[in-house]
Structure formats: C-alpha cells, structure tokens
Amino acid sequence: MHTSDDAAGHSPGTGVRGEGAGAVRLRLDLSYDGTGFHGWAAQPGLRTVQGALEEGLARVCRVPVPVTVAGRTDAGVHARGQVVHLDLPPAVLAGLPGRSDRSPADALLTRLGGVLPPDLVVRSAVPVPPAFDARFGALSRRYRYRISDGPGVHDPLRRDVLRHRRPLDVAAMAAASAALHGEHDFLSFCRPREGASTVRTLRELSWRRPGEGRADAGLVVATVEADAFCHHMVRSLVGVMLQVGEGRRGVDWPARVLAAATRDPGGPEVPGAAPMCPPQGLTLEHVAYPPDAELAAQAARARTFRG
C-alpha cells in the first residue's frame, strides 16, 4: 500500500532478508529532504532515497541489506516520519558494536550517521517483532502539504513549501474537502496499478493558515491522513482543492470529481481525473502502527484486496 505516495513497498533484488533463518528484524525511522532525490524507489543511474539508504547499510553491514518501506514517495517529496524494516542475520548484528558496549541497534544508528548523505537521516533503529511489517502493518499515513500563496510569506530558505501564484481561500478549500472523508473509490485521484484497488478510507483532509508565532505561520497547510494512499493520490487531492481555493471551481467540484470515478480528462463542466499539484510542498509526517500483539492481524487485513 501507499502515495507513490504509498506504492508497493518491498525492494527488488536479493540480500539478507531471512525471516525463517533466525534473522532479527529492525525498524528504522528516517527523515529526508526529497529535493535531491528521484523519489524513494531504487532506479539504475538515479539518486534515490532507497538507493542511498541501502548503500549505507551495505557499507556498515558489509552485506546487501534490502529494506521494506511504509510508503514510497515521489521525486521531490520529503519525509519527517518515514519507516522501513530490515532483517539482519545474528552474526551481522553482533558484529556492529565492534569493541564498544553499545547495543547492535544503537551501533547501527551511529554508524549510519557517518556514511549517509546530509539530506537523509536515520533518527532511530530498534528491534521489532518478526510480525512487524513497515508497509502492510501500518494503520495510517499522515502527510502535510505546505503552500506559500503570497510574497509576504515566501521563504527562499524553505524547500518543503510550494510557492503558489494566487491567493487561496482556505475556508472554501476546507468546505470542499468534507465530502471526500470516509471510504470511497478514489479512482479520479489515483493512477491505478493493474489489479490494485483504488478504494481507500480518507480520515482527514483539512486546511488551515496558522497565525503569527505558530509553526508554518502564514502558510496554507493541508493535513491528509488515510489508511493508505493510491499512487499520486495526495498530490491529486491537493491539486483539485487548489482549483477551489483559487475560485476557478465551486466547493461542490471535488465531490463531483470523486463521483465521476474516472481517469478521463473531463471538460469545463464535466468532471474528470483530478489535476496533480507539484511534489515539493508534500511531506510524509507520520506512519501509525498497532500494538505488537496486533501486528500480524493488521498485516493480514492490509494484504486483503479492497474491492
């Protein structure tokens, strides 16, 4: 699950993944500035987050270490709360502390800090039960999209904010978002993968403009949370709301786009596939998981096709 926003999470290729061979599963929480990456997924000849992380893991562990991610992010998309899991053989894990008295997980965290690029940070590394699955075990993902809609709030030092050319009506965007909450077929907001469902449960799509003295003061900030996201779903949800915020569409337009359930382009008065906003304002903020005792059941539910 997924935006590429949450697309398929397992990495290609072979490595030390070995749930049945006594391997120890670790959870890594990481953050990255997506500006210099061609998205999450490893691609030959391109700099990606997965590629940089797995290269760093291979340098530290001296064996290939594939990872499974909570949700793939597109080129230019950032993360504060991305999650991956990986499996390490006990012998590899035991060798990580060297002569220090650190735990293997703490040693891995410290050593990764010395080899990863500055725009990718692993913030924590902890052992987890074998049932933990970064992708299928997630209960929800939360993203934020930040927009600067006027020169008074444009900040050249921030690379996680979209500069927008027109002022936005936040109240209209909030009103238009309400009809999209709940479980729906989000085909009009997704680029579906063959054989995959486009039914998702949207738990939150809210808009605010924080006041002076608060985080993101003056910006237009969308919070988007769902059980999972189809490919490009978050960027398409924001894209259609920008049309409302600019006054080019009425507050009923997003609901009409949802009801159309189509990938056709539509027309001036005929709803079609939602437009997609640029990636640079989007940040994956948080991935939620159930208690350890419920991990296996959650993963099994998530693997069930949602028709």
Side-chain angles (χ1 to χ4, degrees):
M1 285 188 283
H2 34 287
T3 87
S4 31
D5 304 309
D6 272 358
H10 285 280
S11 306
T14 59
V16 298
R17 193 186 308 281
E19 295 88 333
V24 177
R25 180 155 292 190
L26 297 177
R27 167 179 168 166
L28 305 185
D29 288 69
L30 51 145
S31 302
Y32 47 85
D33 175 353
T35 306
F37 292 106
H38 290 268
W40 168 268
Q43 302 175 62
L46 295 178
R47 184 174 186 262
T48 68
V49 183
Q50 180 189 350
L53 178 60
E54 291 186 348
E55 180 182 347
L57 285 165
R59 288 182 62 186
V60 169
C61 298
R62 300 184 181 179
V63 292
V65 184
V67 300
T68 295
V69 69
R72 294 183 182 182
T73 47
D74 293 336
V77 175
H78 318 286
R80 284 192 178 87
Q82 183 65 280
V83 179
V84 305
H85 79 250
L86 55 93
D87 297 305
L88 289 179
V92 172
L93 201 64
L96 290 173
R99 297 181 178 179
S100 74
D101 59 358
R102 294 172 297 181
S103 71
D106 286 344
L108 177 64
L109 181 65
T110 301
R111 295 179 67 179
L112 282 174
V115 300
L116 292 177
D119 50 357
L120 169 59
V121 175
V122 175
R123 298 184 290 105
S124 70
V126 295
V128 288
F132 180 86
D133 188 302
R135 178 189 175 195
F136 287 110
L139 292 171
S140 64
R141 286 96 168 156
R142 184 173 70 242
Y143 287 82
R144 285 205 171 92
Y145 197 98
R146 295 170 171 88
I147 305 166
S148 167
D149 64 342
V153 288
H154 290 337
D155 183 350
L157 300 182
R158 290 198 64 165
R159 308 201 316 175
D160 62 338
V161 176
L162 174 72
R163 283 197 189 185
H164 195 65
R165 64 188 183 278
R166 298 177 183 173
L168 297 170
D169 184 338
V170 175
M173 296 161 79
S177 298
L180 275 59
H181 294 169
E183 184 177 82
H184 304 284
D185 184 348
F186 284 94
L187 177 62
S188 297
F189 296 88
C190 299
R191 293 190 177 180
R193 300 178 185 277
E194 186 175 355
S197 172
T198 51
V199 175
R200 296 291 185 269
T201 300
L202 184 64
R203 297 175 179 172
E204 180 177 359
L205 175 55
S206 62
W207 296 86
R208 62 190 176 92
R209 192 189 296 270
E212 186 176 351
R214 308 184 73 176
D216 298 323
L219 300 177
V220 176
V221 182
T223 300
V224 192
E225 182 173 329
D227 56 346
F229 291 94
C230 312
H231 190 59
H232 289 161
M233 180 174 161
V234 177
R235 291 172 59 191
S236 296
L237 287 168
V238 174
V240 78
M241 294 302 165
L242 289 179
Q243 294 181 325
V244 175
E246 292 176 353
R248 293 188 289 126
R249 298 289 190 184
V251 295
D252 65 332
W253 183 252
R256 293 176 60 191
V257 171
L258 177 71
T262 182
R263 294 307 305 160
D264 294 335
E269 299 301 325
V270 178
M276 212 170 41
C277 66
Q280 60 262 37
L282 183 59
T283 301
L284 173 59
E285 297 283 350
H286 181 69
V287 184
Y289 294 92
D292 288 353
E294 300 172 21
L295 286 169
Q298 169 60 23
R301 284 193 297 267
R303 286 186 170 93
T304 301
F305 179 81
R306 305 183 61 181

